[in-house]
Amino acid sequence: MIQVALAGNPNTGKTSLFNNLTGSYEYVGNWAGVTVEKKVGTLKQVPGLLIDLPGIYSLNPVSRDEGVATQYLLSEKFSAILNIVDASQLERNLYLTVQLLEFEKPLLIGLNMIDVARNRGIQIDYEQLSALLGVPIQPIVARTGDGCSRLPLMLQQSSEQSAVLFRLDYGSILEQGINRLTELLPTHTNLPSKRWIALQFFEENPIVTDLLSGFVNREQLLDLRQETERLVQEKTGARSLHQYIRQVRGSFISDIVKRSVRVTKQATYTMTEQVDRIVTNKFLGIPVFLLFMFLVFQFTFDWAGTPLSDLLDAFFTGPLAGFFEQMLTLAGTSGFIEALILEGILPGVGGVLVFVPQIFILFLIISFIEDSGYMARVAMVMDRMMEGVGLNGKAFIPMIIGFGCNVPGIMAARTIEQPKERLITTLLTPLMSCSARLTVYSLFAGALFQTHQALVVLSLYVIGIVVALLLAHLFSTYLFKQESSIFLVELPPYRLPQWKTLLRSTWEKGKGFIKKAGTFIFGGSVVIWLLGYTGPSGLHVDINNSFLAAIGGLIAPWLTPLGFGTWQAGAALLTGFFAKEVVVTTMNILYAPSAAETLQGAVANVYTPLQAYSFMAFLLLYVPCFATLATIRKEAASARWTWFTVGYALFIAYLVALVIYQGGRLMGFE
Amino acid sequence: MKKSLLDIPPGMKAYVSDITSVSAVLRRRLIDLGIMEGAEISIKRKLPFGGPLAVEANGQWIGIRRWEAGKIEVEV
Ligand SMILES: Nc1nc2c(ncn2[C@@H]2O[C@H](COP(=O)(O)OP(=O)(O)OP(=O)(O)O)[C@@H](O)[C@H]2O)c(=O)[nH]1
Ligand SMILES: [Mg+2]
């Protein structure tokens, strides 16, 4: 069985190809740094595994996602590398190719984006290029699958052969240095190619330097590097060894590009430039972003989401409930089971499922932002503001992804270069209002803010962002020693997303929600209903004397200053630790709607708008759900920071809700 | 006299002559993208309030901060 690793620059279409060859649906998007983890898939056509890795520019990692890819290539076993090269950016991509060739593993090049190259008038002589590099090349369009079907067989062939010998002449001085270093290395080890090691060492790749110091005296190593550097500087006038190596590779690459590529017309980026003229405009950039956000909410709530979810709601509470009732009567089930289903599971699960339309619309829009190329522009438009709070514009990407779900948002922070900024982003992404919280807003907004739904919900998102920025400022000033922030973002050309891809990635994000409804929320409904059905005095107690009331009552007094000091609110918030949607489940079971009401209607009788707003703000900010906490624990690799997140979130949530409720009362709201 | 990227008007082409005063991590990234001595570079647009610049180099577009662009030395 073959085992092939995908390697290539970021945003060159590795994951698109991976999905095509393995039939998976991994995360694809038009910006650099979408994939941050290793993913393994089974090849469809030949027996074997394909491993998708984060994008890298060299085998010398800066950020954590690059570390994942480099670590894999250096320490895992695989039979061949499939190097994805962006045909429209050939020179830059080939720097990595040269290093992979020096690595001396069987290599095959997938020359991707030939459609883009063709449109820009770049004509590549594939055979010539392949001959010059000494490895097979397959031109492909990973987005549509053109040319991809031949790859698996070629991979099988490559895996069976040994690597081609690739040897770039680095000039007598450096070659001497390489020889001296390889002589110092032991012969019988499972080290990668010795020549490669030597070159990477001279380039100051820290991973390789560490690896080497296991075999050779560190001082001896550094002496050798210094001496070689001095000689190279004297002889060639190069600034550093690193620069010299880069130069040699560069001239090799521009030579082969000259011999195999012809540019027939001047590149034009008309569409990209036109769109950029608006979205990164001096005056319009930020307003356009806000307007876009507002339209998102209009669409999610007023125009499409809510009407659809009202229909679902009416269906659940009407025909579906009626149908279950009849079935249960027919089956002659006991009153207990009937109550469990009709008063527990149906409102509990149904009450969350009615928000499927809103959630899918939100995911559709997030997928559009991801696949169009707008993401990198948002990072750019936001950088000035983020710089002010000690972060950089790229930290906004995890936050936008966090609007869908905080877990992938936190993972996306891996691409941030500076450790301090990465950690702060990891800690603050949970403040982004995820789709699970959207269900709670939908419940309250639908019930209490019918006229300004979109605006009310948008304001909550803004609270989340503003609090995150303020805390970022606080954390970066007081918690971490100042480490200057850096910002560089690649601006890929815009691509009109394909409908198929959009729907696919919407479904991939949204299916988790439906799955949760069938498992977590279903189970939660049963437990919550049981806790409300039983009490210290036995079964079928009045709900106010139930175990649930007792538990919720414990924290209710703490919540009174915030405007919702009822045991119901307390119980609902407690269940929200597991998953935020469960808050809706709990509320629906507790405020059991009578037959005439819809699920949302019942809530309107119990809360005033001010109380509801305070509750929503609290829910937005308080403790992240378990899945998010587990991710923080893993990414920050620290229990302390995880607890810190719980602590600061509770504190801020309390503070904000207090200000909203008490301030609102002072201003005369109730 | 030495000129930085900020001294050339948007749209005009220049060649990178020195990036040694750029901070180490950013320099790494620039080199990763092939933006080093000799590369052709031009400013495409400037964002407001001292925000970042969109720069084109070797046919690709990147966003970098203004004050850091000021440390990239160029020749016209
Ligand atoms: N026009 C065109 N677009 C492509 C092609 N292959 C991929 N894309 C698009 O390029 C973008 C990046 O694709 P991905 O598959 O996410 O790239 P990746 O290399 O996995 O990116 P990272 O995970 O960030 O390293 C997406 O918007 C794809 O739709 C292609 O052959 N032609
Ligand atoms: Mg990817």
Side-chain angles (χ1 to χ4, degrees), chain A residues 160-205:
Chain A
E160 281 157 10
Q161 290 156 4
S162 54
V164 289
L165 196 65
F166 176 86
R167 192 168 271 253
L168 194 56
D169 184 1
Y170 286 92
S172 57
I173 300 171
L174 184 51
E175 289 293 340
Q176 234 167 36
I178 295 172
N179 286 339
R180 279 178 59 193
L181 184 63
T182 43
E183 273 162 25
L184 292 176
L185 292 176
T187 35
H188 299 290
T189 50
N190 48 357
L191 285 173
S193 149
K194 283 186 186 160
R195 187 179 167 78
W196 179 85
I197 291 192
L199 279 163
Q200 293 287 321
F201 168 73
F202 286 128
E203 274 192 286
E204 295 174 37
N205 181 334

Side-chain angles (χ1 to χ4, degrees), chain A residues 398-478:
Chain A
M399 296 191 177
I400 290 186
I401 297 172
F403 288 146
C405 173
N406 291 169
V407 171
I410 292 169
M411 300 293 292
R414 283 187 177 186
T415 61
I416 295 171
E417 285 92 354
Q418 300 286 51
K420 171 199 112 180
E421 293 176 66
R422 181 158 67 231
L423 181 58
I424 295 180
T425 310
T426 304
L427 300 182
L428 294 179
T429 299
L431 295 175
M432 296 304 114
S433 186
C434 64
S435 62
R437 281 169 250 192
L438 190 66
T439 59
V440 183
Y441 309 154
S442 302
L443 177 73
F444 280 101
L448 290 150
F449 301 96
Q450 261 140 9
T451 42
H452 297 295
Q453 277 196 46
L455 214 57
V456 165
V457 178
L458 178 61
S459 72
L460 287 161
Y461 280 71
V462 172
I463 291 180
I465 296 176
V466 169
V467 169
L469 293 183
L470 290 176
L471 287 177
H473 186 59
L474 210 67
F475 292 177
S476 60
T477 319
Y478 295 108

Side-chain angles (χ1 to χ4, degrees), chain A residues 8 12 27 67 71 77 91 104 195 225 285 309-310 357 436-437 453 500 534 597 602 613 664:
Chain A
T12 51
Y27 199 5
Q71 206 59 50
K77 268 210 157 74
E91 285 209 46
E104 289 173 11
R195 187 179 167 78
R225 179 151 73 199
S309 99
D310 284 347
R437 281 169 250 192
Q453 277 196 46
K500 208 183 81 193
T534 54
E597 280 174 327
Y613 196 76

Side-chain angles (χ1 to χ4, degrees), chain A residues 60 92 282 384 485 489 491, chain B residues 28 48-49 60-61 63 65:
Chain A
N60 183 348
R92 186 244 279 183
K282 259 192 173 44
R384 188 70 196 84
S485 110
V489 65
L491 302 170
Chain B
R28 257 301 301 282
F49 312 118
Q60 69 202 328
W61 291 48
R65 285 185 177 152

Side-chain angles (χ1 to χ4, degrees), chain A residues 57 60 63 66 89 92 239 246 269 273 277 280 282 380 383-384 387 391-392 417 485 488-489 491, chain B residues 25 28-33 36-37 45 47-54 59-63 65 67:
Chain A
Y57 297 105
N60 183 348
S63 56
E66 293 175 311
Q89 286 293 342
R92 186 244 279 183
R239 246 186 220 105
R246 183 90 203 184
Y269 309 88
E273 279 196 63
R277 198 156 288 164
T280 63
K282 259 192 173 44
M380 181 137 151
D383 181 64
R384 188 70 196 84
E387 187 181 9
L391 295 180
N392 77 75
E417 285 92 354
S485 110
L488 186 154
V489 65
L491 302 170
Chain B
V25 182
R28 257 301 301 282
R29 277 289 182 243
L30 288 172
I31 294 175
D32 281 341
L33 293 165
M36 47 190 168
E37 287 78 5
R45 46 184 49 254
L47 268 67
F49 312 118
L53 307 177
Q60 69 202 328
W61 291 48
I62 59 163
R65 285 185 177 152
W67 61 269

Side-chain angles (χ1 to χ4, degrees), chain A residues 239-367:
Chain A
R239 246 186 220 105
S240 65
L241 202 46
H242 187 280
Q243 195 213 9
Y244 174 72
I245 294 176
R246 183 90 203 184
Q247 221 173 326
V248 175
R249 288 182 184 148
S251 47
F252 169 74
I253 290 167
S254 50
D255 180 52
I256 59 172
V257 167
K258 238 177 244 136
R259 285 158 67 183
S260 56
V261 177
R262 236 173 29 142
V263 181
T264 55
K265 64 176 180 201
Q266 267 300 310
T268 49
Y269 309 88
T270 29
M271 160 153 119
T272 293
E273 279 196 63
Q274 295 291 351
V275 179
D276 267 347
R277 198 156 288 164
I278 301 168
V279 301
T280 63
N281 184 280
K282 259 192 173 44
F283 307 106
L284 293 178
I286 290 177
V288 162
F289 176 65
L290 290 178
L291 183 74
F292 184 75
M293 294 280 286
F294 180 69
L295 288 181
V296 168
F297 289 102
Q298 276 294 328
F299 200 65
T300 313
F301 289 91
D302 292 349
W303 295 338
T306 306
L308 283 172
S309 99
D310 284 347
L311 284 179
L312 266 180
D313 195 343
F315 171 73
F316 281 145
T317 40
L320 193 69
F323 171 77
F324 272 114
E325 221 173 319
Q326 273 180 353
M327 292 305 285
L328 292 169
T329 325
L330 269 181
T333 46
S334 68
F336 174 79
I337 296 288
E338 198 175 311
L340 172 64
I341 292 178
L342 294 179
E343 288 160 22
I345 295 170
L346 197 64
V349 178
V352 172
L353 279 181
V354 295
F355 299 118
V356 159
Q358 276 99 330
I359 288 188
F360 274 71
I361 291 174
L362 183 78
F363 281 144
L364 180 71
I365 292 165
I366 292 180
S367 301

Side-chain angles (χ1 to χ4, degrees), chain A residues 360-379:
Chain A
F360 274 71
I361 291 174
L362 183 78
F363 281 144
L364 180 71
I365 292 165
I366 292 180
S367 301
F368 180 84
I369 296 179
E370 287 173 350
D371 213 25
S372 60
Y374 188 42
M375 196 68 119
R377 272 72 182 186
V378 176

